[in-house]
Amino acid sequence: METYSNLTPWQTTQLARHPRRPLTLDYIGNCFEDFVELRGGRQWPDDNSVVAGLALFHKEPVVVVGHQKGRDTKENIFRNFGMPHPEGYRKALRVMKLANKFRRPIITFIDTPGAYPGMEAEERGQAEAIARNIMEMTFLKVPIIVVVIGEGGSGGAVALGVGDAVLMLEHAIYSVISPEGCASILWRDPSKAEEAALALKLTARDLLELKVIDELIEEPLGGAHRDFHATASRVSAAIARHLEPLKELPSEELFQRRLEKYRRMGVYTEDLQ
Amino acid sequence: MPPCCAGPGHSVRIAPTEDLTPKCQAEKVGWFTKTKESIVPSNLWTKCQKCEEAIYSKDLAKAAWVCPKCSHHFRISVHDRIELLLDERSWQELNAHIKTADPLKFHALTSYDERVKKAVQKTSANEAISTGLGTLEGFPLAVGIFNFDFMGGSMGSAVGEKIVRLVDEAIRLRRPLLIVSCSGGARMDEGVLSLMQMVKTSQAIARLSRERLPFLSMLTDPTTGGVTASFAMLGDVILAEPGALIGFAGPRVIEQTIKETLPEGFQRAEFLLETGLIDMIVSRKDCRATLAKLLRFFSAPAHHAPHAEGPSNGSDVSTAF
C-alpha cells in the first residue's frame, strides 16, 4: 500500500504509460452506452489516434472525444501511439461542433505522449490546428468535461483539453514537455528523465496544488489497470458530479467562466520597483 | 520523442545588434594578419549569418539589419523593432513591472531563478515580451514584441499575463492588436503553467475576436512550439519575415523522429506561404507600409446590411456558433 502512496513522479510517469492501463475506448465502453463512432476531419485521411462520437451518458446524449493509444505494437502503429496529426484535432473539432449545434455536452479524454513530430504534421499545420481547437473550444456553448486518464503530453493534450472542469486520474501526468525531452534539453542528458519528472511537477497532486485541475480522481490500489471497473465507476461518478451543475448554466456564463478559469492560471509578481 | 511546446529546438544565433560605441570603433584592426577574425572585429563589422559577407555594422543598422547582399533578415532587438514599425515617440510601454515568479522552484543544472536573473541582466528587461501602445502611420495600436534574448523568447506566466492585459487595453481603447513573435515556445521551467498560457493567450484572442478588433500576427525568426500553437497562428492576418523558421516541433526533434535530414527550406516562411499556413511574407523595408494598408482596411467603419440587428454581439465571429 505504501508503495503506491509514495510513488516518485518518475514512477507515476511509468504507471501513466503502463501498457495495461485503461485507454479512452475502455472508458467509452464502460461509462457510456450506445457509442457511435464518427470518423474523419473531412480534409485528410482519418486520424486513428483520435476517436470521437456520439453516446449516451446516464441516458442522456453527449459527445465523446479522446486520444487513443494502442495496447500492443500492431495497435500502436494503427493508433500512431496516440500521437495525432493535425487532422486528428480537426476531426475532434468537427464532432465537438456537432455537439454545439445540437446542444449536447462534451466529454474529452486526454491520453497522448504529444503531437506527432513529423514532416506531414508540420506541413498540414499542426500548430494552427492546436491553436484553432483551443480558441473554438472556448467558444463552444455547451459544457465540456476534460478527463486526463494517462499522459497529458503538451500541445497535443491541450488541443482537446480546454473545458469547464478538468479532472485527472491519480496516476496520470500532464506536462509541458516529456521528462525525457526536458532532460535532453535542460540537462543535455536524456538519462536525467527521473530528475526532470520531479522538477516538472507533472503529477495530479502537483496540478491540483497549481490549480490547473479541478479534481483528482483516486485510483484503486495498484493503479487503474488493477481494477478497471472500479476506476471507470469513479470516473463516471466524477463526470456526472461536475456535469450536472454546468448543464444549468446559460452559454454566455459558461463562456465567461471558461475565460476566468484559465485567466487565473499562472504565477507572476508585480514589483513596481 | 514527441514535440513539446517548450524550449528552443534550434540553435540560438544572436545578432550583434548593439554596442556600436566609439570605443569599439576606435579599436585597432590587425590588418597585417589578414585572418578572417581580424578583418571582422566584434562590432565594427558584422558577418552575415547566411552569405558570410562582412558588412559595415553602421550600414547594416541603417538597412534595418537586412544584409545588403543576400537580404538575410538578422534578428533585431525590441528597441529596433519599435523604431522600425512605430511612429516616432509614440511607444508607451505597459506592465513592464510584471516579472516571472518561480512557481515550481525549478532547478535543472542551474536554478530557474538564476537563469531569470541572468536574462534580466543581459536584456535590461523583466520578461521575454514588451507590451505597449503606439501608432503606426498614425493608426493607434496595441503592440507586443517578443525578445528572443530573454530566455529564447519563451512564454511563461508573466508573458501570458502581459499578453492578456495588452488585449484588455486593446479592447478598452478599441485598438487593433499587433504581436511580433520571436520565441522558442513555452518555458519549461514553469512546467504545466507555461502550457496553460497557450490557453490563456488564445482565449484573449477569442475575446478580441468577439469584439471585432483585428489581430495582426507577425512571425519572425524563430517562432516555434507553444507560441505558434496558440495566439500566433490565430491572427486575422498572419505575416512573416523572409526566411523565418516557423513551426510547432523544432527541426531537430523532427529529424530525430524521422531519422532523416529535413529538406532545405522546410519550416521556413516561404514554405509556410506555399502550404497555405500564412498570408504573406513581408520584408523589413516594406512591413510598415503593408501594416498601414491592413490597418486602413480594418479601421474603416463597419458595413451594416439593412437587415442587420444593430451592433453585433460578436456571435458570428466563430464558426462554432
Side-chain angles (χ1 to χ4, degrees):
Chain A
M1 187 148 190
E2 267 189 12
T3 322
Y4 276 88
S5 54
N6 294 316
L7 290 178
T8 66
W10 181 238
Q11 287 168 326
T12 304
T13 304
Q14 304 307 313
L15 211 50
R17 296 168 175 170
H18 195 285
R20 283 173 46 227
R21 194 168 173 83
L23 306 170
T24 293
L25 281 172
D26 300 320
Y27 289 98
I28 291 178
N30 258 269
C31 307
F32 300 83
E33 281 166 11
D34 291 352
F35 177 63
V36 182
E37 186 175 359
L38 302 179
R39 305 267 304 260
R42 300 291 189 263
Q43 283 177 28
W44 288 95
D46 189 33
D47 188 333
N48 296 305
S49 64
V50 173
V51 293
L54 318 173
L56 295 179
F57 180 72
H58 293 200
K59 313 272 182 237
E60 283 190 52
V62 296
V63 156
V64 196
V65 175
H67 305 97
Q68 182 65 36
K69 291 183 178 176
R71 215 172 276 293
D72 52 33
T73 309
K74 197 178 155 199
E75 261 183 46
N76 258 322
I77 288 167
F78 178 66
R79 299 290 181 187
N80 200 32
F81 297 83
M83 292 188 277
H85 282 71
E87 46 271 30
Y89 310 122
R90 288 172 182 144
K91 167 167 73 176
L93 183 59
R94 181 181 76 81
V95 180
M96 288 192 284
K97 282 184 177 179
L98 206 60
N100 193 66
K101 185 170 168 185
F102 296 98
R103 296 293 187 263
R104 307 299 183 212
I106 298 166
I107 291 112
T108 77
F109 291 101
I110 306 298
D111 190 15
T112 178
Y116 184 67
M119 279 177 70
E120 294 86 359
E122 289 290 318
E123 274 167 5
R124 297 176 207 149
Q126 63 179 341
E128 191 273 345
I130 293 168
R132 184 69 47 199
N133 274 26
I134 297 173
M135 181 145 110
E136 296 283 356
M137 287 181 86
T138 302
F139 280 128
L140 294 173
K141 293 186 162 186
V142 296
I144 306 171
I145 309 283
V146 177
V147 192
V148 185
I149 55 170
E151 276 184 279
S154 189
V158 176
L160 304 185
V162 180
D164 305 298
V166 180
L167 322 178
M168 187 164 168
L169 279 173
E170 187 182 1
H171 302 309
I173 57 168
Y174 198 174
S175 178
V176 67
I177 184 168
S178 69
E180 292 90 338
C182 181
S184 70
I185 297 173
L186 289 187
W187 276 264
R188 295 187 186 89
D189 179 1
S191 71
K192 298 284 184 197
E194 188 164 356
E195 286 172 54
L198 180 69
L200 282 166
K201 301 256 195 310
L202 42 63
T203 70
R205 285 184 213 291
D206 292 327
L207 267 74
L208 198 62
E209 212 164 283
L210 293 167
K211 300 190 173 77
V212 171
I213 59 166
D214 300 286
E215 184 178 331
L216 178 156
I217 305 171
E218 286 193 4
E219 293 183 27
L221 186 62
H225 61 286
R226 290 291 179 87
D227 187 348
F228 175 53
H229 287 284
T231 310
S233 72
R234 286 180 198 182
V235 167
S236 177
I239 294 171
R241 198 166 52 247
H242 285 273
L243 189 54
E244 269 323 302
L246 290 168
K247 285 201 297 204
E248 308 299 320
L249 296 179
S251 57
E252 181 59 25
E253 200 177 328
L254 271 180
F255 177 70
Q256 293 302 337
R257 282 171 52 125
R258 223 170 267 161
L259 295 180
E260 281 161 26
K261 177 183 175 62
Y262 288 93
R263 183 164 187 156
R264 280 194 299 267
M265 291 187 193
V267 180
Y268 51 87
T269 62
E270 289 193 63
D271 190 353
L272 283 166
Q273 288 293 299
Chain B
M1 185 185 73
C4 62
C5 305
H10 45 79
S11 61
V12 177
R13 289 167 305 179
I14 307 296
T17 50
E18 275 145 293
D19 208 21
L20 290 170
T21 56
K23 182 178 144 271
C24 296
Q25 288 177 32
E27 259 174 30
K28 270 199 171 173
V29 178
W31 296 106
F32 54 91
T33 58
K34 299 259 183 189
T35 64
K36 243 185 179 171
E37 287 69 31
S38 64
I39 310 171
V40 188
S42 56
N43 290 313
L44 188 53
W45 294 83
T46 304
K47 194 166 84 174
C48 175
Q49 295 140 349
K50 201 173 165 201
C51 71
E52 307 211 330
E53 177 86 347
I55 313 154
Y56 189 44
S57 296
K58 266 192 169 173
D59 291 346
L60 194 56
K62 264 189 226 151
W65 298 95
V66 176
C67 172
K69 193 180 167 203
C70 74
S71 294
H72 171 67
H73 283 52
F74 285 71
R75 198 171 292 142
I76 62 174
S77 68
V78 172
H79 175 265
D80 287 343
R81 184 72 64 181
I82 291 169
E83 215 159 72
L84 181 77
L85 293 178
L86 300 182
D87 300 335
E88 222 176 307
R89 286 191 293 275
S90 74
W91 171 252
Q92 183 195 334
E93 190 166 359
L94 298 170
N95 297 313
H97 61 286
I98 295 181
K99 289 180 186 170
T100 191
D102 185 4
L104 270 49
K105 301 273 167 275
F106 193 92
H107 197 285
L109 293 176
T110 53
S111 75
Y112 178 40
D113 201 44
E114 272 170 53
R115 279 157 44 89
V116 170
K117 272 185 196 141
K118 266 193 196 156
V120 170
Q121 245 170 22
K122 179 175 162 192
T123 61
S124 311
N126 282 330
E127 254 307 332
I129 189 171
S130 297
T131 58
L133 303 171
T135 63
L136 186 156
E137 304 279 344
F139 291 104
L141 275 179
V143 188
I145 302 170
F146 272 82
N147 185 348
F148 195 81
D149 287 346
F150 195 106
M151 302 184 80
S154 57
M155 174 163 72
S157 304
V159 168
E161 181 65 19
K162 285 177 86 168
I163 290 176
V164 171
R165 292 198 195 181
L166 181 65
V167 170
D168 288 345
E169 277 303 283
I171 291 173
R172 191 176 70 83
L173 300 166
R174 306 287 312 162
R175 288 185 177 202
L177 172 71
L178 168 70
I179 296 180
V180 182
S181 294
C182 188
S183 168
R187 192 175 296 168
M188 266 179 283
D189 318 58
E190 290 184 35
V192 74
L193 290 175
S194 291
L195 189 67
M196 291 303 128
Q197 303 311 306
M198 290 170 64
V199 182
K200 186 166 163 171
T201 54
S202 300
Q203 291 195 330
I205 302 304
R207 278 195 293 136
L208 194 76
S209 182
R210 246 167 68 120
E211 294 286 337
R212 292 183 178 283
L213 290 166
F215 169 35
L216 308 179
S217 180
M218 181 164 219
L219 315 179
T220 71
D221 186 56
T223 302
T224 60
V227 165
T228 322
S230 63
F231 65 89
M233 285 309 280
L234 294 173
D236 293 302
V237 177
I238 304 177
L239 312 93
E241 284 201 328
L245 178 79
I246 302 161
F248 180 59
R252 220 174 38 195
V253 175
I254 301 173
E255 287 184 335
Q256 281 166 5
T257 310
I258 63 172
K259 301 191 171 55
E260 279 175 51
T261 310
L262 290 170
E264 176 87 18
F266 188 71
Q267 292 184 308
R268 295 288 164 186
E270 294 72 15
F271 174 82
L272 272 86
L273 186 69
E274 244 172 68
T275 46
L277 292 167
I278 59 173
D279 289 288
M280 64 187 91
I281 295 173
V282 190
S283 74
R284 215 164 268 166
K285 68 173 172 42
D286 297 328
C287 68
R288 193 183 167 110
T290 305
L291 287 168
K293 247 192 256 178
L294 291 168
L295 290 168
R296 206 163 296 133
F297 170 85
F298 287 115
S299 304
H303 169 76
H304 289 291
H307 60 270
E309 297 166 18
S312 165
N313 62 1
S315 64
D316 55 349
V317 289
S318 162
T319 46
F321 288 86

